[in-house]
Amino acid sequence: MRTSLVLAVSAALVAGTALGLAPAAQAVETADPAGIRFVDIAGEGGTVLKANVVAPAGAAGARHPLIVLPTSWAMPQVEYLAQARKLADSGYVVVSYNSRGFWQSGGEIETAGPKDVADASKVIDWALAHTAADPDRVGMGGVSYGAGISLLAAAHDPRVKAVAALSGWADLIESIYSGRTQHLQAAALLGGAGALTGRPGPELKQILSDFLSSNLAKEEDMIAWGRTRSPVTYLDRINANGTAIMLGNAWGDTIFPPNQYASFYEKLTGPKRLEFRPGDHATAELTGLFGLPNDTWTNAQRWFDRYLKGADNGIDRERPVQLKSRSTGGYEGYPDWKSVHANQRKFDLGGTQRVWANVDSGANGGVTLLTNALDQFLRTPPVVSVPLLPRAFAGVWQSERYDAPQRVRGTVKVHTTVASTQESGTLVAYLYDVGPLGVGKLVTNAPYTFHGKAPGQPFAVDLELFSTAYDVPAGHRLALVVDTVDPLYIEHNPTGAQLTFSSPAADPSYVSVPLRKE
């Protein structure tokens, strides 16, 4: 009930915000006193896309670089107006449009499917025909859904020379089905917000139904559907086009976790930049949507200036991986993502521990959109009393106390051996920063689900927790907690199941923690 209430409230907030921003019904080619033109653009198959255009003053007679901004999931076409004005003031023609299936745009929600990708090209065609846009200087960008569509468009339309993809996804499967576990709150929130603000098509409805009902008979179909909508599937095309790609995300993004962006970044061969900051989904960009100073949007414009205008602003000479710690708030630069993990420190998961499934031990990852936003602004991650965690329902292992601060950077990895009394099951691993009084602050977590295992037969588990940047103070220790229930995820533990965690001599269990080099 708690989870359902949170999802309902969150979806209502998304819809309410969008309703507050939505303009009244617009006629074709209308304009307001601020110089914004509201237009209708014919998308793929003639579907009408509601859009707006903001251009530099005196744009007639001169060609200007073009930036196309598809809207985020459930958001109206005025989402980017504050940033569009800033970009137009610096010499860009900006076209933002409502993705098909949402608000006043026609069609049904395709979830970044082929029609959405074709729409992006149609919008570029329209802009080149109806504005002072330069066909040789085309960029795309956006937040969340707009980021994903922009990356997909860059793979399919070589005219796109630069992309700023903020709080988006590169791999949809790894985003909401990581560890073969459904991310319940993320999927339900997206589905609910889509139904409130748009028109989900029969395909999306069926996918969501199969996903949330754990229909394993349709698992391969769902994965194939997700791959079609994943930019990583078209990585070779993006690299062949040489598109300059900037990726930005939050450490605590509970809809599109950072790991999949980092993996995608490492495989790009063209100009690229990766930025991670504290927060949850789209919270790092939020203030910029209201026109307030915002590092993410500032760097996005610098990226476009460099690769669409040719400005020598130095962004291409900076270290391309920029991380902002959840603890200090300062930026750190790295030459690549691999360098973030150059210094590893392990602690053992010794002994044998057994836990009963189906009961929440009290360790959990929080609430989508809320928990990590609080951590971003107030530095208050979820906490537990590690000594009081019920050992019947949670396995607990702790490191030694550290004499010096441990600056965790990157992806923590867990290796262990598991046996279950049932063929299917789910476990969730949490890494905590534990202070002298035993209070643990959540550093990171991730779920893992298995199917088709022989009951009682041990098997190895390798699990990557969600990437993060967190400083453990001197005098504290790290603790790994494993239980079987978390409101963020769907669990697959049959009633009465029991999991056993062991550390065989031939294959010891451990946690590997990446630490910043001093």
Side-chain angles (χ1 to χ4, degrees):
M1 290 179 63
R2 179 182 66 179
T3 300
S4 300
L5 178 62
V6 168
L7 292 174
V9 171
S10 298
L13 286 173
V14 170
T17 300
L19 281 166
L21 291 172
Q26 301 136 0
V28 179
E29 296 287 351
T30 63
D32 74 359
I36 303 164
R37 282 195 298 151
F38 293 103
V39 301
D40 289 349
I41 298 176
E44 178 68 8
T47 296
V48 173
L49 304 175
K50 294 293 183 176
N52 58 69
V53 182
V54 186
R63 289 290 178 183
H64 298 267
L66 167 68
I67 296 178
V68 174
L69 303 172
T71 54
S72 302
W73 186 271
M75 294 300 289
Q77 59 155 301
V78 295
E79 175 186 10
Y80 301 115
L81 280 184
Q83 288 301 319
R85 286 193 178 103
K86 289 185 178 183
L87 289 165
D89 288 344
S90 64
Y92 292 94
V93 172
V94 184
V95 179
S96 176
Y97 69 95
N98 232 140
S99 306
R100 69 167 52 222
F102 286 104
W103 296 98
Q104 299 106 322
S105 285
E108 296 175 329
I109 299 172
E110 297 285 333
T111 321
K115 290 182 181 178
D116 287 305
V117 178
D119 284 345
S121 291
K122 293 287 188 181
V123 172
I124 294 173
D125 293 342
W126 183 92
L128 296 179
H130 295 87
T131 73
D134 185 341
D136 295 323
R137 295 184 291 168
V138 176
M140 288 191 67
V143 177
S144 186
Y145 197 45
I149 290 175
S150 295
L151 288 172
L152 289 163
H156 291 83
D157 193 329
R159 294 177 296 181
V160 180
K161 305 302 183 186
V163 168
L166 313 177
S167 290
W169 76 92
D171 190 327
L172 194 57
I173 304 302
E174 282 300 307
S175 293
I176 61 174
Y177 196 48
S178 68
R180 207 179 176 185
T181 308
Q182 296 99 322
H183 293 210
L184 170 62
Q185 291 186 20
L189 178 59
L190 291 173
L196 284 170
T197 62
R199 297 168 299 282
E203 183 182 39
L204 174 57
K205 291 179 181 178
Q206 186 62 54
I207 287 290
L208 276 174
S209 175
D210 291 337
F211 185 80
L212 294 173
S213 65
S214 304
N215 187 351
L216 290 178
K218 295 295 185 68
E219 183 179 37
E220 287 304 315
D221 292 341
M222 290 186 282
I223 289 174
W225 180 88
R227 283 176 178 154
T228 300
R229 290 156 171 79
S230 296
V232 70
T233 301
Y234 313 101
L235 179 71
D236 290 347
R237 296 187 190 180
I238 295 175
N239 286 335
N241 291 340
T243 314
I245 304 290
M246 172 183 160
L247 305 170
N249 205 356
W251 293 119
D253 194 322
T254 46
I255 296 180
F256 303 128
N259 303 45
Q260 46 91 32
Y261 245 17
S263 176
F264 178 68
Y265 169 84
E266 283 291 88
K267 298 170 185 173
L268 292 170
T269 58
K272 58 184 180 179
R273 182 178 176 91
L274 178 67
E275 299 182 355
F276 284 145
R277 298 177 175 85
D280 206 313
H281 183 65
T283 62
E285 300 85 23
L286 183 61
T287 56
L289 294 177
F290 295 98
L292 300 174
N294 182 279
D295 291 353
T296 307
W297 284 105
T298 295
N299 286 342
Q301 181 167 338
R302 293 176 65 217
W303 190 253
F304 288 132
D305 287 349
R306 176 67 186 88
Y307 291 102
L308 296 182
K309 288 183 176 180
D312 185 14
N313 56 18
I315 195 168
D316 54 326
R317 295 189 295 275
E318 296 172 0
R319 290 192 169 189
V321 176
Q322 293 287 320
L323 311 182
K324 190 173 185 179
S325 168
R326 291 165 51 199
S327 303
T328 65
Y331 283 97
E332 303 165 4
Y334 298 83
D336 50 39
W337 182 246
K338 292 192 295 283
S339 298
V340 179
H341 300 84
N343 183 27
Q344 298 281 331
R345 184 169 186 171
K346 295 182 179 180
F347 69 89
D348 295 332
L349 305 179
T352 298
Q353 298 196 34
R354 295 179 177 86
V355 300
W356 292 97
N358 312 121
V359 176
D360 190 342
S361 70
N364 66 72
V367 177
T368 291
L369 297 186
L370 176 62
T371 298
N372 292 315
L374 291 175
D375 185 39
Q376 173 186 358
F377 296 110
L378 303 177
R379 295 184 184 171
T380 55
V383 298
V384 296
S385 174
V386 174
L388 297 181
L389 286 170
R391 297 313 198 257
F393 309 116
V396 179
W397 298 263
Q398 297 192 70
S399 72
E400 76 276 18
R401 292 191 189 277
Y402 298 115
D403 294 331
Q406 306 295 293
R407 294 180 171 85
V408 181
R409 299 291 185 272
T411 308
V412 176
K413 298 180 180 180
V414 175
H415 175 77
T416 189
T417 295
V418 180
S420 175
T421 57
Q422 303 290 335
E423 67 173 8
S424 295
T426 297
L427 60 93
V428 185
Y430 310 87
L431 189 71
Y432 285 99
D433 159 25
V434 185
L437 299 180
V439 175
K441 295 182 179 180
L442 185 65
V443 178
T444 181
N445 77 100
Y448 180 91
T449 293
F450 57 89
H451 296 288
K453 299 296 184 181
Q457 184 65 40
F459 59 93
V461 169
D462 287 288
L463 176 60
E464 290 190 351
L465 307 190
F466 300 134
S467 303
T468 193
Y470 180 96
D471 294 352
V472 179
H476 288 212
R477 65 177 74 201
L478 288 169
L480 184 78
V481 176
V482 179
D483 71 3
T484 62
V485 176
D486 190 307
L488 286 172
Y489 313 113
I490 291 178
E491 62 151 319
H492 296 262
N493 297 293
T495 302
Q498 189 179 41
L499 302 183
T500 300
F501 299 89
S502 60
S503 182
D507 186 20
S509 298
Y510 61 85
V511 176
S512 182
V513 182
L515 302 174
R516 192 184 83 182
K517 286 187 174 181
E518 297 303 325

